[in-house]
Amino acid sequence: MNPYVLAMIISSLGLGTTLTFVSSHWLLAWMGLEVNTLAIMPLMAQQHHPRAVEATTKYFLTQATAAALILFATTTNAWVTGQWSIDHLSHPMATTLTTVAIALKLGLAPLHFWLPEVLQGLTLGTGLILSTWQKLAPMALIIQISPHTNHLILTTLGVLSTLVGGWGGLNQTQLRKVLAYSSIAHLGWMIIVLKYTPQLTILTLFIYILMTSAVFMIFSASNVTKTSTLTLKWAKNPTLLALAALSLLSLGGLPPLTGFMPKWLILQELTKQDFPLIATIMAVSALLSLFFYLRLCYAMVLTISPNMNNAQTPWRLQTPHMTLPLSALMILTILLLPMTPSVMALIC
């Protein structure tokens, strides 16, 4: 892609997210979401492959539907209450429709069906943007409207997302689909506690972005998209694959890695709010997610694939260099758990 075109697309992505962040008016927030959607579509379709075009079309239709729902709901709220401000979303029907539309934009279950299919048709770089940066603007909106949202809707979305994210990733062999179901599960953890502690939701989003960015960058440096290819990479770069295994276990929330911190704090908050059953369901769903992360780790570091690889011979490819961003992300992904007391002091 032309560097000037790429710079314009990246600038548009930043502009769309910034517009949504700074807006207090629903029309300006809606414009930011639309700029975000239109900016990422050239990146998604740049492969000129039918699978990429299909993923771009699915993404456009889904995001356009969600944007139309947001516009309809906020117009209804303005008609009834006379207010366009994001803080004054008080009409019950408008609040429910807006929550559903933002859940569709994020890919929360049961509105998640587009996310694995879209992510599977993208490159790892574009998939990284879709899984991290594109979540920021909708999350900012749902955090702002959370005081007016029905807690039953948020709880249902959260529990369903963690269960679907755990069950859906069990039988996947494509790494991008595994990361898509991982995204669904982590979004469920963020939403479940949003009504009670928004600061904890922001912390979980921040840590999820760190961990997912590290995993995407490792897979991109290793040039792998399937589990069968992953089994052939140990002999080429064992250090990178060992770090990848630790990153996946951190995504699964295994102590003493960074990913254990938000899950532990969320379960503690749910117990404080007198929801022991929901906390138990969330913990069990985390075990489901941990199972398919462990399966990937087993394939990476404990097996040598007996099958032939139809891709390029791994040992003839140029050895990727470890970059400074990847090194920093790996340190943060693995070693942030000792910061938990400081984080709890900031939240409380």
Side-chain angles (χ1 to χ4, degrees), residues 1 90 101 115 136-138 159 162 172 192 196 222 281 287 311 316 321 347:
M1 182 176 284
S90 55
L115 184 56
L136 294 177
V159 171
T162 51
Q172 300 298 329
I192 196 76
Y196 314 108
S222 304
I281 294 173
L287 291 178
R316 292 180 184 171
H321 297 286
I347 292 175

Side-chain angles (χ1 to χ4, degrees), residues 280-291:
T280 304
I281 294 173
M282 301 290 286
V284 171
S285 66
L287 291 178
L288 287 173
S289 299
L290 185 60
F291 177 80

Side-chain angles (χ1 to χ4, degrees), residues 16-17 19-34 36 66-67 70-71 74 84-87 89 95 98-99 101-103 105-106 134-149 154 191 194 205:
T17 304
L19 273 177
T20 306
F21 278 177
V22 302
S23 61
S24 59
H25 195 283
W26 272 112
L27 280 180
L28 188 60
W30 176 79
M31 286 171 58
L33 293 174
E34 288 300 289
N36 244 1
I70 290 175
L71 197 58
T74 52
W84 278 100
S85 176
I86 296 176
D87 295 332
L89 188 68
T95 306
T98 306
T99 306
I102 295 176
K105 271 193 168 291
L106 288 170
Q134 291 298 94
K135 308 291 185 190
L136 294 177
M139 284 300 297
L141 287 179
I142 201 169
I143 288 171
Q144 289 182 74
I145 69 170
S146 61
H148 312 291
T149 308
L154 294 180
I191 293 299
L194 178 59
L205 177 63

Side-chain angles (χ1 to χ4, degrees), residues 153-235:
I153 296 175
L154 294 180
T155 302
T156 304
L157 288 172
V159 171
L160 281 177
S161 296
T162 51
L163 289 174
V164 168
W167 280 109
L170 290 178
N171 61 343
Q172 300 298 329
T173 59
Q174 297 288 335
L175 298 179
R176 284 166 292 186
K177 282 194 174 182
V178 169
L179 291 172
Y181 283 107
S182 168
S183 174
I184 294 167
H186 279 87
L187 286 169
W189 283 90
M190 297 174 209
I191 293 299
I192 196 76
V193 78
L194 178 59
K195 187 76 173 177
Y196 314 108
T197 314
Q199 300 93 331
L200 195 48
T201 298
I202 297 172
L203 171 70
T204 309
L205 177 63
F206 173 70
I207 291 178
Y208 161 74
I209 289 175
L210 288 179
M211 297 186 295
T212 303
S213 301
V215 172
F216 266 103
M217 289 179 69
I218 288 171
F219 288 160
S220 180
S222 304
N223 194 25
V224 293
T225 56
K226 296 184 296 185
T227 308
S228 58
T229 312
L230 199 62
T231 59
L232 302 172
K233 293 294 181 178
W234 178 258

